[in-house]
Amino acid sequence: MGKTLFQKIWDKHLVKTIPDGPDVLYIDKHFIHEVTSPQAFSGIEKRGQPLFRPEKTIATADHNVPTINQHLPIREELSRIQVQRLVENCKRHHVELYGLGHPFQGIVHIIGPELGITQPGMTIVCGDSHTSTHGAFGSIAFGIGTSEVEMVFATQCILQNRPKVMRINIDGQLNKGVVSKDIILYIISKISASGATGYFVEYAGSTIRALSMEARMTICNMSIEMGARGGMIAPDEITYEYMKNRLFAPKGIEWEDKLKEWKKLPSDEDAVFDKELSFNAEDIEPMITYGTNPGLGITINSHVPTLESIADEGERNNMAKALKYMGLQPGQALKGMPVQNVFIGSCTNSRIEDLRLIASIIKGKKKNENVKVMVVPGSHQVREQIIAEGLDVIFNEAGFEIRQAGCSACLGMNEDKIPAGEYCISTSNRNFEGRQGPGARTLLASPLTAAAAAITGVVTDIRELLN
Amino acid sequence: MKPLKHIQSSFVPLPVENIDTDQIIPARFLKSTSREGFGKNLFRDWRYFNNDEAQPKTDFVLNKPEYKGSILVAGKNFGSGSSREHAAWAILDYGFYAVVSSFFADIFKNNALNNGVVPVQVSEDFLDKIFNLENGSTLSIDIENQSITIDATGESEKFDINNYKKTCLMNGYDDIDYLLNIKEDIINFEKAIEGLK
């Protein structure tokens, strides 16, 4: 019997299996950031252990950094201490740090791929659930807790139960105005925020094959929002084309050798998956969420569900709670509803392609006067690129505020927050209560739908602007 | 990690589904560089109005003094979202040693076990039975036998935990101890991989 992409990589990294216990998995690349690493550094120090393979760990500061005036000391004391601690820890333990002020600084899941660090066939972990992003290259990439960060520091391995593997096939041509963010919001709305718990997901099918690497990253990024440990896509010519000549990608003979290995990775034709789902691209329309988990999404022109339509009592109570928090009425339409904020950023949608797409829609237009629009590039390099391409002029003329790289208002941790009670159309990944700040109301959508709302000031069907 | 073999306690019911780790501990409280002190911010925005300890939301269960115990019982899909281990630290620091639910998110489950908090996954029916118990009723969780019992009625259910993790919990061992002990194997593995190139 053939093997899946997942099995091939997992088996190659299996150090040993503990009987009636987890597997010991070897980790090729470990990304760290300021929030989930300090306790792991103290942990190994307390045990008197060195960092076992420091050259396999890469650090950046992203979650807890301001996105303006990054050259100045961080104003908030606890944030400043946390970022400073990362600098000290990396220095002491010989870890490469792309911290504030470094030309490679940025959101951890943006910089790995952009620098060519993320490669097919690797095992990649990070103390952040959106590590699944890196799976777009055909790697096993997943988020871990701080104790597991400490395990990787101490031994370059973690203990992990082998997950089941699900394949999600999407075939067909995407409709106008529909992008990869809509695909993943659509899938999550169909299978729920816990529909893939216990699984690793491989995305396949003609729709996925036709997507760019950046679009694929958006899909893999949100795998965790349906409970999956990670998402992955088999590498192909699009992958290699994206990677070639990136700073840390293999070069010359090494590239050729690696390429031969990578081409053996895709799932064998007779490989068996624990579960398989299929969707048609033609059925997908621009999506938006209305609730407080990413599974509560609808197509842009449909209505919020009525409570009577939900049979299960627990789910009905949950829905009532979510709608109350969101300030929405059961059965209401979202289209035409005023929004006060548009957030363009996060590890889901802050790559150059996202920003080019938005610029192409808003060129020559101005934002609605009642909306505050933030554009937070995923990395310093993305920011430099938008300036090099002149996109900054388009954003500035439209009244969009361009910030510096970081996680920003995706998670309500740093200075960037959405005010309580206000609505925000966000290109990020989570609409949990308080996620973008206490009381903030998040509507997740694609960069296109976010750009449309920025211009009109209300929830808008992007297809009406494209006509 | 402290050894954990048996818990008998009253419980705190939180019959809400899909409790994500941003609710358990909001991101703005993740700025500490130590593992301690997160309990005071457990469910912070469900506990207080305007983030103000002087303005408790009196209908929230953690603010009702009559509900206490070292077991938290919550609706299905507990711990979804962010990988922040701070969620497990906050639960432990508050004084819970077990979380009972009908479904757990994967990363939370690992994080809980790595901190000596036992995630007890029960059936929907059993969870409903617990939620319907009178306040003050006690539950017994027996790690060795992998069972949870409603003391008043004797009704019991088995829960899943692999033998390795069970041994760790009962003896207070952690995964890092285990991995450090097999470092030789890891070095040999690296050599073998190098040799393949």
Side-chain angles (χ1 to χ4, degrees):
Chain A
M1 196 173 69
K3 281 180 157 188
T4 65
L5 166 65
F6 177 87
Q7 285 168 334
K8 290 180 193 184
I9 303 171
W10 187 279
D11 290 349
K12 209 174 161 192
H13 291 81
L14 187 62
V15 177
K16 67 186 284 183
T17 297
I18 303 172
D20 194 14
D23 287 348
V24 179
L25 194 69
Y26 192 81
I27 301 303
D28 293 322
K29 271 297 165 215
H30 184 203
F31 293 102
I32 61 169
H33 60 84
E34 73 278 21
V35 180
T36 57
S37 67
Q39 296 86 350
F41 276 115
S42 344
I44 54 166
E45 285 174 6
K46 221 153 106 187
R47 290 171 200 264
Q49 288 293 326
L51 215 150
F52 181 54
R53 297 287 181 243
E55 70 281 5
K56 292 182 192 256
T57 293
I58 303 283
T60 192
D62 56 2
H63 283 64
N64 201 2
V65 302
T67 57
I68 47 168
N69 293 324
Q70 287 183 345
H71 62 291
L72 298 177
I74 299 175
R75 282 182 297 185
E76 214 259 326
E77 191 191 2
L78 287 176
S79 302
R80 189 172 65 247
I81 292 171
Q82 198 175 52
V83 172
Q84 187 54 36
R85 185 65 61 85
L86 180 71
V87 174
E88 293 157 10
N89 281 332
C90 287
K91 197 169 172 199
R92 193 157 61 244
H93 293 278
H94 313 291
V95 170
E96 185 81 23
L97 168 66
Y98 304 141
L100 284 182
H102 193 284
F104 299 162
Q105 180 267 339
I107 304 174
V108 62
H109 311 308
I110 303 288
I111 68 169
E114 153 181 287
L115 293 168
I117 298 169
T118 301
Q119 295 170 18
M122 281 182 166
T123 46
I124 300 172
V125 293
C126 172
D128 186 281
S129 59
H130 293 111
T131 307
S132 56
T133 314
H134 306 262
F137 291 79
S139 61
I140 290 183
F142 54 94
I144 57 176
T146 298
S147 294
E148 292 166 317
V149 171
E150 191 179 336
M151 291 177 211
V152 183
F153 279 169
T155 66
Q156 204 56 37
C157 290
I158 58 171
L159 296 182
Q160 205 68 201
N161 295 315
R162 191 188 187 109
K164 292 179 281 187
V165 188
M166 181 193 300
R167 181 158 65 185
I168 298 182
N169 304 293
I170 305 117
D171 284 291
Q173 190 91 32
L174 285 175
N175 293 314
K176 191 167 86 170
V178 175
V179 292
S180 67
K181 181 66 163 285
D182 299 304
I183 300 177
I184 190 65
L185 285 175
Y186 174 83
I187 295 171
I188 303 169
S189 78
K190 291 290 174 199
I191 74 170
S192 92
S194 58
T197 302
Y199 291 90
F200 230 86
V201 173
E202 180 180 341
Y203 302 94
S206 62
T207 316
I208 298 292
R209 294 262 73 87
L211 294 175
S212 71
M213 279 318 291
E214 300 204 346
R216 292 178 187 183
M217 283 186 244
T218 300
I219 292 190
C220 289
N221 172 274
M222 288 192 71
S223 303
I224 182 75
E225 309 313 335
M226 50 188 176
R229 274 322 294 277
M232 60 202 311
I233 293 172
D236 59 14
E237 291 306 320
I238 291 174
T239 320
Y240 311 137
E241 191 55 39
Y242 175 95
M243 290 180 59
K244 207 169 181 183
N245 301 320
R246 289 198 180 253
L247 188 61
F248 295 107
K251 306 279 176 342
I253 293 286
E254 202 196 341
W255 171 265
E256 296 303 325
D257 287 347
K258 283 282 183 191
L259 207 53
K260 279 182 209 146
E261 268 181 51
W262 296 339
K263 287 185 173 174
K264 294 180 201 157
L265 287 172
S267 294
D268 297 328
E269 275 191 23
D270 56 344
V272 177
F273 292 82
D274 298 295
K275 191 171 181 177
E276 198 145 9
L277 299 174
S278 295
F279 298 100
N280 290 321
E282 288 85 357
D283 295 338
I284 307 174
E285 292 185 57
M287 295 289 296
I288 189 162
T289 66
Y290 58 88
T292 54
N293 76 59
L296 302 180
I298 49 176
T299 59
I300 193 94
N301 289 315
S302 45
H303 293 229
V304 171
T306 58
L307 295 180
E308 299 75 49
S309 68
I310 303 162
D312 180 79
E313 193 192 342
E315 276 177 35
R316 192 164 56 241
N317 292 342
N318 251 25
M319 178 69 74
K321 185 172 184 289
L323 293 182
K324 187 176 174 218
Y325 178 84
M326 292 298 292
L328 297 172
Q329 296 303 317
Q332 83 163 82
L334 290 184
K335 204 169 87 170
M337 195 179 85
V339 296
Q340 295 75 41
N341 304 274
V342 171
F343 173 64
I344 296 162
S346 88
C347 54
T348 313
N349 284 119
S350 66
R351 286 169 281 266
I352 188 65
E353 193 178 279
D354 300 314
L355 302 182
R356 282 182 191 136
L357 186 66
I358 292 169
S360 74
I361 297 295
I362 64 155
K363 192 173 182 178
K365 297 192 172 79
K366 288 219 180 308
K367 75 169 181 71
N368 181 281
E369 58 183 8
N370 299 320
V371 185
K372 185 174 180 256
V373 186
M374 278 171 82
V375 178
V376 188
S379 70
H380 185 73
Q381 291 206 73
V382 171
R383 187 182 151 92
E384 294 289 295
Q385 187 68 24
I386 62 174
I387 293 167
E389 295 182 17
L391 306 182
D392 57 325
V393 179
I394 297 172
F395 289 132
N396 286 330
E397 283 178 358
F400 289 23
E401 187 190 2
I402 306 169
R403 313 277 291 205
Q404 290 171 296
C407 298
S408 186
C410 172
L411 85 163
M413 172 164 196
N414 49 70
E415 295 171 1
D416 304 345
K417 293 184 181 73
I418 305 302
E422 292 191 5
Y423 290 99
C424 178
I425 293 215
S426 179
T427 68
S428 59
N429 41 57
R430 287 188 176 134
N431 51 0
F432 298 151
E433 284 183 29
R435 172 74 181 184
Q436 295 196 284
R441 293 163 166 170
T442 304
L443 308 166
L444 300 175
S446 78
L448 279 179
T449 300
I455 300 301
T456 61
V458 297
V459 175
T460 300
D461 184 344
I462 179 65
R463 293 168 296 190
E464 291 167 13
L465 288 191
L466 293 174
N467 285 334
Chain B
M1 228 166 68
K2 279 189 203 148
L4 187 66
K5 291 177 178 154
H6 191 262
I7 305 166
Q8 183 176 35
S9 168
S10 55
F11 64 92
V12 176
L14 192 51
V16 179
E17 297 180 0
N18 298 313
I19 295 176
D20 59 76
T21 52
D22 275 83
Q23 308 317 313
I24 299 171
I25 181 128
R28 61 187 192 281
F29 299 108
L30 309 185
K31 298 185 184 195
S32 168
T33 53
S34 84
R35 287 176 183 243
E36 286 83 39
F38 289 100
K40 67 176 187 292
N41 296 320
L42 178 68
F43 295 114
R44 181 80 189 190
D45 291 334
W46 288 0
R47 258 160 101 182
Y48 305 111
F49 287 107
N50 305 317
N51 192 27
D52 182 357
E53 287 172 32
Q55 300 179 54
K57 296 183 178 178
T58 49
D59 59 346
F60 185 62
V61 69
L62 293 192
N63 292 328
K64 293 181 180 173
E66 65 272 29
Y67 288 97
K68 48 183 183 283
S70 53
I71 302 171
L72 177 67
V73 183
K76 76 173 171 208
N77 197 27
F78 186 85
S80 57
S82 158
S83 62
R84 59 189 70 164
E85 194 161 316
H86 312 67
W89 298 336
I91 286 169
L92 182 67
D93 192 49
Y94 188 87
F96 293 120
Y97 292 95
V99 182
V100 179
S101 177
S102 56
F103 199 71
F104 288 94
D106 287 329
I107 305 180
F108 175 80
K109 208 190 283 181
N110 281 356
N111 286 343
L113 285 167
N114 283 335
N115 287 281
V117 173
V118 56
V120 178
Q121 187 162 321
V122 297
S123 67
E124 294 278 347
D125 282 351
F126 198 78
L127 188 68
D128 281 344
K129 276 182 194 160
I130 298 176
F131 280 138
N132 287 328
L133 290 172
E134 268 177 42
N135 180 28
S137 307
T138 57
L139 304 172
S140 290
I141 297 169
D142 180 339
I143 309 232
E144 181 157 30
N145 290 312
Q146 301 176 222
S147 68
I148 173 166
T149 307
I150 298 171
D151 292 329
T153 62
E155 286 169 286
S156 185
E157 200 170 275
K158 289 268 181 191
F159 63 89
D160 224 25
I161 184 169
N162 66 51
N163 202 37
Y164 165 82
K165 269 292 167 196
K166 189 158 94 178
T167 310
C168 286
L169 271 180
M170 293 178 60
N171 294 287
Y173 301 153
D174 68 28
D175 287 354
I176 302 168
D177 296 332
Y178 175 87
L179 286 168
L180 287 171
N181 277 328
I182 61 156
K183 217 160 175 182
E184 203 63 33
D185 293 345
I186 296 168
I187 290 167
N188 288 334
F189 175 86
E190 285 181 323
K191 282 182 188 154
I193 286 287
E194 278 303 309
L196 284 177
K197 281 182 185 164

